[in-house]
Amino acid sequence: MIQTKLIPRTAEAVEPPMLIKTLLAQSTKYEPQREIIYRDLFRMNYVEFNRRVRQLANVLTDLGVKPGDTVAVLDWDSHRYLECFFGVTSYGVVLHTINVRLSSAQILYTMNHAQDKIVLIHEDFLPILSAIKDQLTTVEKFVLISDKVYTDPIAVGDLPTGFSGEYEALLGNASDQYDFPDFDENTWATTFYTTGTTGNPKGVYFSHRQLFMHTMGLATYVCGYQAVPFSSVTDVYMPITPMFHVHAWGFPFLATMLSTKQVYPGRYEPELLLKLLLKEGVTLSHCVPTILNMLVNSPVANQVDLTRWKVIIGGSALTKGLAKGALELGIQVYQGYGMSETAPIMALSQLNDLERNLPVDEKVDYLTRAGRIAPFIEMHLMDDEGNFVPHDGHSLGEIVARGPWLTQGYYEDPECGAALWKGGWLHTGDVASITPDNWVLIADRTKDVIKTGGEWISSLDIEDLLSQVDGVAEAAVVGLPDERWGERPHALIVQKPGAELTAEGIKSGMQAKVQLGELNKWYVPDRILFVPEIPKTSVGKIDKKRIRSEMKDLILQ
């Protein structure tokens, strides 16, 4: 650390901390009349939203929650979840966003490990609670969330045993006067758990300062540099990513700060998503490729106007086949890159003035890259010896990063935290190259690179090739052991409705490219299996661990 000269401070001077409540305070300054909508059940403006956030803080106080405690939420994407993003954290309490797609045993582990004190739970998830309630070690009270209050309040009926009240009723009886306090901006704000290939889920955590800075970085990139053109005046935001997954990629914080019109769809139902998209004029969403793939291949997609819709894809790679299919429908698609540990945005497919005017086929090459490095993020490539690799667009290395919003470790897991930050850089586990103009080109996850015939090949590259075969809706590729070559690629393919593909036909097409010198021979899969669906993880990523296991069993039969 170099010797510097610090600015003098007047004793009475105040420098407000970077807190989530500061983001909330902006929402009523300029466009308080804009709306936040939940399904076709509830709508409110930002004045009402701020009132409900204050009521939630008073509810927590009445339930005995104190700053530093942890409040857990199990809900669909809703206005209530958005209220918790602000009302729980601004109260100085840690918000635990529970991944409802984990197994009951994993959810139990995360709740006990995070030391949840109060649990807000939608009635749809009560069966999960019933299976684990007697094994919870720190939870003191439960609050019921029910959508029936919007249609037939009487139908809510008696509360389940041990519940302190129903969310809307508790808010309705709470005072709407509350002054959120100032506290250290490094105060713990949120936690959630990320699953790996082995062991228990790991607790990721973020401070108020980190989430404030992530919001500023996101605003700089999408509102300033127009990586994904976003305007609070003309855009309407609707997440199609679970809010338990990395804060819905941080967009709810940004949209609320800008008092953007927001739409929350609750449980994902294709017909309702489309209805909300059209009725409320949604222009910006984000989702995993699976959701977009379902829409692009839906018979309804060609019957509606989707030309105003911008969609950011994350979680898994956006293939050229899917990108072209979306663009043909008028959907503007973009790739994002990040991970749970990075809050998550580290790159978006930001096109500069020259790239923006390219023909569609050339533009797709850029839109399906991981993206350009985000503002305020420092990213490098590192080899196995810890040396930096040149950003020449060809040399490969593991992506390592630093930035103002990257998690500092894993909760009560110093060993994994030290491995994450080995050498003072956050290690992503992704192998990539970086171009001189800051484009990130993901080659693969370190564990998914296929080592065959003395060469390293990318499972993502093969998936991209297969996605462009006419009739292929989705593809997944894994490497499996091979006595002669070390490993060989094997593929799962989901066909589009009405398609009649064969494994031999697909291989023949790839072999023809090999003969023409357009494709490396090692990229042709040994086996192609057709399946009705590809296994996914709890957050919608292709589950390659499960695929490897199941395909290995098939080969051994």
Side-chain angles (χ1 to χ4, degrees):
M1 191 75 68
I2 65 170
Q3 189 70 31
T4 60
K5 185 176 183 180
L6 299 178
I7 62 169
R9 292 181 178 273
T10 302
E12 291 79 13
V14 174
E15 186 174 316
M18 299 177 186
L19 300 176
I20 290 172
K21 73 165 188 173
T22 311
L23 304 177
L24 175 67
Q26 313 311 307
S27 66
T28 55
K29 281 186 176 180
Y30 309 109
E31 301 288 352
Q33 79 288 347
R34 288 190 183 140
E35 290 186 308
I36 299 170
I37 296 136
Y38 175 57
R39 295 173 73 85
D40 51 1
L41 298 174
F42 181 82
R43 55 203 310 138
M44 62 181 165
N45 62 26
Y46 276 92
V47 174
E48 174 70 3
F49 172 72
N50 275 259
R51 186 179 68 82
R52 287 170 59 90
V53 168
R54 294 192 298 271
Q55 287 175 309
L56 176 57
N58 280 311
V59 167
L60 296 176
T61 301
D62 294 341
L63 291 174
V65 179
K66 297 180 176 59
D69 289 337
T70 301
V71 170
V73 179
L74 296 90
D75 193 11
W76 305 109
D77 286 6
S78 71
H79 62 299
R80 299 171 298 245
Y81 224 136
L82 186 66
E83 289 160 5
C84 290
F85 271 28
F86 291 91
V88 173
T89 58
S90 296
Y91 180 58
V93 172
V94 179
L95 174 65
H96 177 196
T97 58
I98 293 180
N99 182 345
V100 297
R101 296 173 182 165
L102 297 178
S103 67
S104 295
Q106 288 174 316
I107 290 176
L108 172 65
Y109 172 82
T110 67
M111 294 178 72
N112 285 338
H113 191 261
Q115 302 176 58
D116 297 337
K117 183 172 183 178
I118 304 292
V119 179
L120 313 180
I121 180 169
H122 192 284
E123 58 192 351
D124 288 353
F125 305 120
L126 290 178
I128 296 175
L129 181 62
S130 297
I132 64 174
K133 189 175 181 181
D134 293 341
Q135 302 171 70
L136 294 171
T137 57
T138 60
V139 175
E140 297 178 2
K141 295 176 181 177
F142 301 91
V143 173
L144 180 68
I145 293 172
S146 172
D147 285 349
K148 295 187 182 75
V149 298
Y150 304 114
T151 54
D152 184 7
I154 298 176
V156 176
D158 296 330
L159 292 170
T161 303
F163 276 67
S164 299
E166 185 277 322
Y167 186 90
E168 289 295 333
L170 290 172
L171 253 64
N173 291 324
S175 168
D176 62 3
Q177 300 301 306
Y178 192 91
D179 290 326
F180 289 111
D182 280 343
F183 42 75
D184 192 307
E185 63 189 28
N186 294 301
T187 296
W188 192 349
T190 65
T191 191
F192 53 85
Y193 284 73
T194 179
T195 57
T197 55
T198 58
N200 289 317
K202 297 190 289 291
V204 177
Y205 48 85
F206 295 94
S207 68
H208 281 255
R209 184 183 190 279
Q210 287 174 315
L211 295 179
F212 185 98
M213 288 303 300
H214 184 270
T215 306
M216 295 302 106
L218 194 56
T220 301
Y221 213 14
V222 301
C223 301
Y225 289 109
Q226 299 278 287
V228 179
F230 182 62
S231 165
S232 65
V233 178
T234 57
D235 279 305
V236 178
Y237 166 68
M238 180 175 75
I240 316 181
T241 300
M243 296 179 78
F244 64 69
H245 187 220
V246 208
H247 322 109
W249 302 358
F251 277 90
F253 289 118
L254 175 62
T256 300
M257 180 186 77
L258 298 176
S259 54
T260 305
K261 180 179 177 181
Q262 301 185 63
V263 181
Y264 287 86
R267 181 202 289 265
Y268 294 159
E269 299 167 354
E271 289 185 6
L272 181 63
L273 286 174
L274 190 59
K275 178 182 176 181
L276 292 170
L277 187 71
L278 300 174
K279 179 184 175 184
E280 303 298 343
V282 173
T283 61
L284 178 67
S285 298
H286 45 78
C287 64
V288 295
T290 307
I291 299 291
L292 183 62
N293 191 60
M294 288 170 53
L295 180 74
V296 168
N297 291 296
S298 167
V300 182
N302 287 306
Q303 302 172 21
V304 295
D305 182 7
L306 300 174
T307 56
R308 295 186 67 240
W309 196 29
K310 294 167 285 194
V311 181
I312 303 170
I313 295 298
S316 297
L318 172 63
T319 63
K320 290 184 176 67
L322 181 55
K324 288 178 180 177
L327 291 170
E328 287 170 359
L329 293 171
I331 302 170
Q332 303 166 61
V333 287
Y334 303 84
Q335 177 80 58
Y337 171 66
M339 51 196 294
S340 297
E341 291 84 348
T342 64
I345 300 296
M346 289 206 295
L348 286 171
S349 51
Q350 187 258 346
L351 303 180
N352 62 27
D353 290 344
L354 297 175
E355 296 155 350
R356 204 171 292 120
N357 296 314
L358 290 172
V360 172
D361 285 346
E362 293 183 47
K363 191 181 294 185
V364 165
D365 289 337
Y366 287 94
L367 293 174
T368 52
R369 296 177 177 184
R372 262 199 175 99
I373 301 171
F376 316 125
I377 289 292
E378 188 178 357
M379 190 183 293
H380 288 288
L381 303 172
M382 191 174 284
D383 64 20
D384 293 340
E385 285 72 46
N387 302 309
F388 288 132
V389 174
H391 292 190
D392 56 16
H394 304 289
S395 302
L396 294 176
E398 181 191 9
I399 295 176
V400 296
R402 289 175 179 168
W405 52 75
L406 278 54
T407 190
Q408 298 298 290
Y410 296 113
Y411 182 48
E412 293 189 342
D413 193 344
E415 185 176 338
C416 285
L420 179 71
W421 277 97
K422 182 180 178 181
W425 291 87
L426 186 143
H427 289 252
T428 65
D430 289 318
V431 177
S433 61
I434 299 177
T435 68
D437 53 350
N438 295 311
W439 280 101
V440 181
L441 312 175
I442 301 290
D444 221 329
R445 294 287 294 171
T446 53
K447 61 180 177 290
D448 294 330
V449 171
I450 301 170
K451 307 168 188 68
T452 182
E455 296 196 30
W456 285 30
I457 62 175
S458 167
S459 65
L460 300 181
D461 285 349
I462 304 175
E463 289 167 2
D464 199 43
L465 287 166
L466 293 173
S467 77
Q468 297 176 69
V469 174
D470 190 27
V472 171
E474 194 174 13
V477 175
V478 297
L480 294 178
D482 183 271
E483 289 185 5
R484 184 177 182 186
W485 303 115
E487 284 185 321
R488 290 293 299 137
H490 296 253
L492 294 183
I493 286 179
V494 177
Q495 298 188 68
K496 292 181 179 178
E500 296 182 1
L501 299 172
T502 65
E504 281 63 36
I506 293 175
K507 286 185 183 181
S508 295
M510 297 179 77
Q511 288 288 2
K513 291 180 179 291
V514 172
Q515 296 299 321
L516 292 171
E518 298 175 357
L519 184 65
N520 186 316
K521 67 177 182 178
W522 301 110
Y523 279 67
V524 182
D526 272 16
R527 175 178 290 200
I528 295 176
L529 297 178
F530 294 97
V531 294
E533 62 179 3
I534 288 173
K536 302 292 196 310
T537 68
S538 62
V539 293
K541 297 180 181 180
I542 295 175
D543 191 343
K544 294 201 173 181
K545 177 186 176 184
R546 178 179 162 191
I547 293 171
R548 271 190 288 267
S549 175
E550 293 179 355
M551 291 196 79
K552 189 174 181 179
D553 290 342
L554 280 173
I555 290 173
L556 292 175
Q557 290 177 0

